[in-house]
């Protein structure tokens, strides 16, 4: 196909014809009317009351968490529970209630259209009554319901997905993936950037309550940081860094990524990687860096880590791990190094009992090696100090070394320092 550029006369003629066509078809009037309607719509809706705060709970485990009522009471949220609303429709004998009853009589799931209609009615009523906040319990439960909620203009401010199988959403897992898992994964895709995956494995109701309220309380009431913080916490074995990291994560709504806990979970869930980890530990060997790096990287890449920020505990521990971490382009905002006094630390570490579940897998192996080799502990301390220098070289101006006065619990002091760093980046 050969094309030739229009000369000046042809351009003038073409422009004249185009303007005449637009005028005849009243295209200018059409767009003017369309924009006017858009302005009227925006003025009407933006002048309304403040949007109701919406929290959604989706529990895809088989456990009864018992959190809904307590969370709703603490934050003055109106509960819209799927099971309760469906039963309410049946009792009232509404058209939706008849469909729900028929489905239950046939022992079949209630169809999405009916569930969506029930929630739409109740959500609209809550908005009309100027409700401060809603807690949607069990809704949306699948992709159809999630898309319906989005089309209705309702995006949960916080979406909590409770599961015992967090790996089913990231790296391949040997754990069975049921329909709840698949539905939950699709819902999270629909609300990417809004959900928080909560691992309930081994956690009490009180622990889960504290975890959820710390996130909601901080995001609703406190002045949030200007950016999702990314923190590396570097400390010695036996200094309760895992507890300190969890406290910081709970306080600021961060994802706590603990290398030790990741390894322990793999072992407890008897995954193929867990069996490999157990073999190394049973032989009295530390787990290879490449294996640890892969597991940590998987956690760092999850959506919740990118959205909420993270605190990294127990990684990196050496130059090889640090080099791997640096190549991931996940630069921390700051690095906190906990440095205790030498003699008290040595004394405390040697007095620890072995084995103990509270210390974790790596700590047990570490203490055994310290007792078998008198020089091991001193070398470990010296290596830690040397690695602290490596961290400073890698992240100049970002490393904060906290000189601890003793080896007792320093959590309040550390939390205060970290809070100052987060709010003054």
């Amino acid at each position: 196909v050969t094309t030739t550029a229009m000369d000046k006369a042809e351009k003038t003629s073409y422009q004249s014809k185009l303007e005449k066509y637009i005028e005849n078809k009243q295209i200018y009037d059409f767009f003017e009317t369309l924009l006017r309607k858009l302005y009227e719509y925006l003025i009407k809706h933006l002048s309304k009351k403040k949007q109701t705060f919406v929290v959604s709970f989706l529990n895809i485990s088989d456990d009864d968490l018992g959190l809904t009522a307590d969370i709703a009471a603490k934050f003055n949220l109106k509960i819209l529970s799927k099971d309760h609303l469906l039963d309410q429709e049946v009792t009232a004998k509404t058209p939706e209630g008849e469909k729900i009853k028929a489905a239950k009589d046939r022992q079949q799931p209630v169809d999405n259209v009916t569930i969506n209609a029930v929630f739409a009615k109740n959500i609209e009523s809550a908005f009309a009554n100027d409700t401060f906040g809603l807690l949607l319990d069990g809704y949306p439960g699948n992709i159809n319901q999630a898309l319906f909620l989005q089309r209705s203009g309702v995006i949960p401010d916080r979406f909590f997905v409770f599961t015992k199988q967090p790996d089913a959403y990231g790296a391949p897992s040997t754990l069975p993936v049921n329909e709840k898992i698949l539905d939950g994964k699709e819902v999270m895709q629909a609300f990417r950037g809004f959900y928080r995956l909560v691992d309930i494995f081994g956690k009490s109701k009180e622990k889960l309550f504290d975890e959820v309220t710390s996130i909601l309380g901080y995001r609703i009431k406190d002045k949030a940081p200007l950016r999702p913080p990314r923190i590396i916490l570097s400390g010695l074995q036996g200094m309760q860094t895992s507890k300190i990291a969890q406290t910081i994560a709970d306080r600021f709504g961060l994802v706590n990524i603990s290398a030790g806990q990741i390894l322990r979970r793999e072992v407890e869930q008897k995954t193929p990687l867990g069996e490999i980890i157990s073999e190394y530990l049973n032989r009295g060997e530390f787990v290879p860096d490449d294996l640890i790096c892969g597991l940590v990287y998987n956690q760092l890449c999850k959506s919740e880590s990118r959205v909420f920020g993270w605190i990294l505990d127990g990684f990196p521990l050496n130059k090889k791990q640090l080099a791997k971490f640096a190549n991931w382009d996940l630069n921390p905002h700051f690095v906190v190094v906990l440095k205790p006094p030498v003699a008290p630390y040595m004394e405390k570490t040697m007095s620890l009992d072995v084995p103990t579940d509270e210390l974790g897998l790596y700590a047990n192996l570490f203490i055994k090696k310290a007792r078998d080799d008198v020089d091991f502990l001193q070398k470990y301390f010296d290596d830690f100090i040397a690695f602290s220098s490596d961290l400073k070289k890698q992240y100049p101006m970002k490393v904060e070394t906290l000189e601890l006065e003793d080896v007792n619990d320093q959590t309040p002091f550390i939390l205060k320092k970290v809070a100052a760093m987060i709010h003054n980046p």
Side-chain angles (χ1 to χ4, degrees):
V1 179
T2 303
T3 59
T4 57
M6 291 187 292
D7 58 27
K8 188 173 182 179
E10 287 175 327
K11 287 182 180 179
T12 302
S13 175
Y14 177 78
Q15 184 176 355
S16 176
K17 291 178 181 179
L18 183 60
E19 289 177 350
K20 187 175 181 180
Y21 175 84
I22 291 174
E23 184 177 352
N24 289 339
K25 296 296 183 180
Q26 297 181 324
I27 293 178
Y28 286 128
D29 294 338
F30 169 76
F31 278 105
E32 184 180 354
T33 303
L34 188 64
L35 285 172
R36 185 184 299 112
K37 289 182 178 180
L38 176 60
Y39 292 149
E40 291 173 353
Y41 175 85
L42 291 174
I43 291 171
K44 178 181 177 182
H45 284 77
L46 292 177
S47 62
K48 286 185 175 181
K49 62 183 181 298
K50 183 181 177 182
Q51 175 70 41
T52 303
F53 188 84
V54 179
V55 179
S56 186
F57 278 7
L58 179 59
N59 180 16
I60 57 175
S61 73
D62 295 325
D63 294 7
D64 181 12
L65 301 178
L67 289 176
T68 308
D70 292 341
I71 295 294
K74 182 174 181 62
F75 294 103
N76 191 29
L77 305 176
K78 177 181 175 62
I79 300 174
L80 296 183
S81 168
K82 185 181 77 172
D83 293 339
H84 176 73
L85 291 182
L86 296 185
D87 289 342
Q88 189 173 284
E89 293 293 321
V90 172
T91 302
K93 297 182 179 180
T94 64
E96 289 81 10
E98 296 297 329
K99 295 177 182 178
I100 296 166
K101 184 177 185 304
K104 290 186 175 181
D105 290 342
R106 295 192 302 268
Q107 295 185 338
Q108 294 179 348
V110 181
D111 65 277
N112 289 316
V113 174
T114 301
I115 294 176
N116 289 336
V118 170
F119 268 90
K121 176 172 60 177
N122 284 273
I123 290 174
E124 184 178 356
S125 174
F127 285 177
N129 293 327
D130 201 18
T131 304
F132 166 72
L134 294 178
L135 198 163
L136 309 182
D137 184 22
Y139 184 87
N142 57 42
I143 188 63
N144 180 288
Q145 296 169 18
L147 294 178
F148 175 83
L149 197 63
Q150 287 183 342
R151 287 194 297 269
S152 302
V154 180
I155 304 296
D157 297 86
R158 288 291 172 266
F159 197 127
F160 293 90
V161 180
F162 300 92
T163 177
K164 275 188 175 180
Q165 305 182 62
D167 291 338
Y169 302 92
S173 172
T174 57
L175 295 171
V177 179
N178 55 34
E179 189 173 349
K180 280 186 176 181
I181 291 285
L182 295 176
D183 285 341
K185 188 171 184 178
E186 289 182 340
V187 171
M188 290 193 297
Q189 289 293 330
F191 290 101
R192 181 177 295 277
F194 291 92
Y195 72 85
R196 175 69 182 263
L197 189 63
V198 180
D199 181 12
I200 68 172
F201 183 78
K203 294 180 181 177
S204 64
K205 175 186 173 182
E206 291 74 19
K207 175 65 177 175
L208 289 171
F209 179 81
D210 290 342
E211 186 171 337
V212 173
T213 54
S214 67
I215 296 171
L216 285 178
Y218 180 64
R219 299 296 181 182
I220 294 175
K221 296 179 180 179
D222 289 356
K223 184 178 180 182
L226 298 177
R227 59 191 179 185
R230 300 196 295 266
I231 306 169
I232 292 178
L233 181 65
S234 180
L236 292 156
Q237 287 282 3
M239 289 301 297
Q240 298 182 316
T241 54
S242 295
K243 174 189 173 184
I244 295 168
Q246 188 62 58
T247 302
I248 294 171
D250 290 343
R251 172 64 181 83
F252 297 106
L254 310 179
V255 178
N256 181 20
I257 301 177
S258 167
Q261 290 178 9
I262 294 172
L263 296 177
R264 184 172 184 174
R265 179 184 298 153
E266 293 291 329
V267 172
E268 291 178 344
Q269 294 183 350
K270 298 181 180 179
T271 66
L273 284 179
E275 294 178 2
I276 296 173
I277 294 168
S278 294
E279 290 177 3
Y280 279 103
L281 296 177
N282 290 336
R283 292 198 301 265
E285 301 174 10
F286 291 116
V287 180
D289 290 329
D290 289 339
L291 195 157
I292 295 175
C293 289
L295 290 170
V296 171
Y297 181 69
N298 178 60
Q299 296 294 321
L300 287 168
C301 287
K302 288 186 176 181
S303 296
E304 61 169 357
S305 300
R306 296 195 298 269
V307 172
F308 293 98
W310 42 260
I311 179 166
L312 189 52
D313 164 45
F315 184 93
L317 291 177
N318 54 48
K319 284 187 175 182
K320 183 176 181 179
Q321 293 181 8
L322 179 59
K324 285 272 190 180
F325 181 81
N327 288 333
W328 297 339
D329 291 328
L330 295 170
N331 291 331
H333 293 133
F334 51 89
V335 180
V336 181
V337 177
L338 306 181
K339 182 182 177 183
V342 183
Y345 170 74
M346 300 283 188
E347 183 179 350
K348 177 184 178 180
T349 303
M350 295 302 295
S351 67
L352 293 173
D353 294 328
V354 182
T356 167
D357 291 336
E358 292 181 359
L359 289 176
L361 301 168
Y362 250 38
N364 290 340
L365 177 58
F366 167 78
I367 295 171
K368 289 178 182 178
K369 284 185 172 293
R371 290 186 173 181
D372 292 341
D373 183 354
V374 293
D375 297 326
F376 174 84
L377 193 56
Q378 183 62 55
K379 183 178 184 303
Y380 170 72
F381 190 93
D382 294 340
D383 289 345
F384 172 77
I385 299 301
F387 181 65
S388 299
S389 298
D390 295 330
L391 285 171
K392 291 180 180 179
K393 292 177 183 178
Q394 182 66 44
Y395 301 112
M397 308 301 292
K398 291 185 177 182
V399 176
E400 180 75 19
T401 300
L402 301 184
E403 301 276 356
L404 306 180
E405 295 181 356
D406 54 51
V407 293
N408 297 321
D409 187 7
Q410 300 285 310
T411 303
F413 165 73
I414 297 168
L415 185 60
K416 183 178 179 180
K417 290 290 186 180
V418 170
M421 296 176 204
I422 288 178
H423 292 299
N424 298 280

